Amino acid sequence: MKKSDLAILAFCRLGIAGLAPKAPGTWGTALACVLAPFVFMPLAYWLRAVMLAAIFVLGGLAATRAEKLLGKKDPGQVVIDELAGVWLVLLPFPQPTFWLLLSAFVMFRIFDIAKPWPIKASENWLPDGFGIMIDDIIAGVYALVCVAAMYWMGIL
């Protein structure tokens, strides 16, 4: 395997998170939540939005290649979509507290696992790796609505 392919897989797996033998999506989401206060949240809002767009595009391209390398449609090892989804949940919040991060993690995982309409259907809206990315973006929107409601009600 070429070095570039190894780099693509490392990106898609968020290092080793995607290699977890059980629940790699949960591990990817957890890692994204741990990284967010240091990598994502310090950025200005507009830079976070640009970063999310870049992660979506680069993640979609990388996930397309990962599907070919791993010989499987939507391989569990690909967890860059979890990072995009949970960072979308955190996007509007300037200073995430532990409870906000935990709520984002829990709500995102609930929607990502349960896949209520149209999350499951969205996997087929876009081709290849972009289908992998879009369902987590929609799960992130659902989770964002829930977390934002808790935040503005003063629960978080």
Side-chain angles (χ1 to χ4, degrees):
M1 190 174 295
K2 298 185 294 187
K3 286 183 182 180
S4 60
D5 289 338
L6 292 173
I8 288 169
L9 289 176
F11 174 70
C12 286
R13 293 172 174 156
L14 296 179
I16 63 168
L19 294 175
K22 300 227 187 240
T26 298
W27 287 105
T29 305
L31 179 59
C33 286
V34 168
L35 291 175
F38 307 103
V39 178
F40 186 64
M41 301 310 295
L43 300 174
Y45 175 80
W46 71 271
L47 279 173
R48 283 185 264 155
V50 168
M51 182 181 262
L52 276 177
I55 289 169
F56 180 82
V57 171
L58 295 174
L61 294 170
T64 297
R65 181 70 182 141
E67 283 185 323
K68 289 175 180 52
L69 291 170
L70 299 171
K72 187 175 180 190
K73 177 110 174 91
D74 197 357
Q77 292 180 23
V78 173
V79 295
I80 190 66
D81 51 330
E82 272 75 19
L83 179 132
V86 80
W87 281 9
L88 177 63
V89 179
L90 299 171
L91 179 65
F93 303 102
Q95 297 292 325
T97 64
F98 169 79
W99 296 110
L100 188 116
L101 286 166
L102 181 62
S103 297
F105 172 85
V106 170
M107 294 309 300
F108 175 74
R109 290 308 297 151
I110 287 170
F111 288 112
D112 190 32
I113 292 167
K115 296 193 184 304
W117 186 88
I119 297 170
K120 181 69 177 166
S122 72
E123 293 174 345
N124 300 311
W125 291 352
L126 298 174
D128 304 320
F130 292 96
I132 293 172
M133 298 297 292
I134 193 68
D135 74 310
D136 283 41
I137 294 298
I138 297 172
V141 170
Y142 277 33
L144 172 57
V145 169
C146 295
V147 171
M150 290 187 283
Y151 181 84
W152 283 297
M153 288 189 313
I155 296 170
L156 298 176

